[in-house]
Amino acid sequence: MKKMPLFLGVALAALTLASCEKELEQVNSSPQSSTAASTLAKPDLLTTGNWRQTGLTVSAPAEGTAPAATSDLFAQVRPSMLVQNAMYKSDGTYTLLRGPRPGKQTAEPVSGTWRLTASADSLILTQADRTRRFAVAELTATTLRLAYSEGDAGKASVYTSVFSR
């Protein structure tokens, strides 16, 4: 099994994705994605208030027929890698603010555009010339759960970021 540096995984999960050059693939449809689509009435759930990151896990494929191993990364990462404030505006723009970097008082905000797919099962974020697609595993008035995978089909690691209001 290939090991991904923790920094890269966390950077991707923090949605800033500034150092990642690969396109992220949408997580295969799952019962959770169907639930998210039926729960979501409209994009207003995303734009009504600010979000803060409250969870980060990675589920890595195991060798052979063993089940995937899931690890909680949230407590292990530096605050500068986590999203302290995510604001999605109804005009289709977003702003993310990560925690402060060591030696600095405040982090630089990251801005871009966003859109939900018609079925509300994917959130597409564009920042400068990079576009990323995240599977929406859950979107309610108080919880946003985004997932993405990295790696070859069948051997991909799935990263899940949880945001709360």
Side-chain angles (χ1 to χ4, degrees), residues 82-165:
L82 298 173
V83 176
Q84 286 188 338
N85 187 16
M87 181 175 25
Y88 297 91
K89 297 178 186 174
S90 58
D91 68 358
T93 61
Y94 72 91
T95 302
L96 303 176
L97 183 62
R98 294 180 297 158
R101 294 186 183 271
K104 293 186 178 181
Q105 293 293 346
T106 59
E108 292 292 321
V110 175
S111 299
T113 60
W114 68 271
R115 71 178 176 88
L116 284 171
T117 56
S119 60
D121 64 352
S122 294
L123 175 64
I124 300 167
L125 301 178
T126 301
Q127 175 188 344
D129 63 344
R130 294 186 179 132
T131 299
R132 305 290 186 242
R133 180 182 295 250
F134 297 87
V136 177
E138 181 179 1
L139 177 55
T140 67
T142 59
T143 304
L144 171 61
R145 187 179 313 271
L146 300 175
Y148 63 90
S149 63
E150 183 170 296
D152 298 328
K155 296 287 185 180
S157 295
V158 177
Y159 295 85
T160 303
S161 292
V162 179
F163 297 85
S164 301
R165 291 195 217 257

Side-chain angles (χ1 to χ4, degrees), residues 34-53:
S34 299
T35 301
S38 65
T39 302
L40 179 64
K42 47 188 158 179
D44 293 344
L45 287 174
L46 191 62
T47 61
T48 306
N50 295 350
W51 299 94
R52 65 181 166 81
Q53 191 171 7

Side-chain angles (χ1 to χ4, degrees), residues 9-84:
V10 174
L12 292 171
L15 299 178
T16 59
L17 305 170
S19 66
C20 181
E21 294 296 328
K22 292 183 179 180
E23 281 294 309
L24 299 176
E25 297 297 324
Q26 176 181 1
V27 175
N28 292 334
S29 295
S30 68
Q32 288 178 328
S33 294
S34 299
T35 301
S38 65
T39 302
L40 179 64
K42 47 188 158 179
D44 293 344
L45 287 174
L46 191 62
T47 61
T48 306
N50 295 350
W51 299 94
R52 65 181 166 81
Q53 191 171 7
T54 56
L56 173 62
T57 61
V58 60
S59 193
E63 296 296 322
T65 59
T70 300
S71 298
D72 185 352
L73 300 177
F74 188 76
Q76 300 173 15
V77 298
R78 288 180 251 150
S80 63
M81 301 310 299
L82 298 173
V83 176
Q84 286 188 338

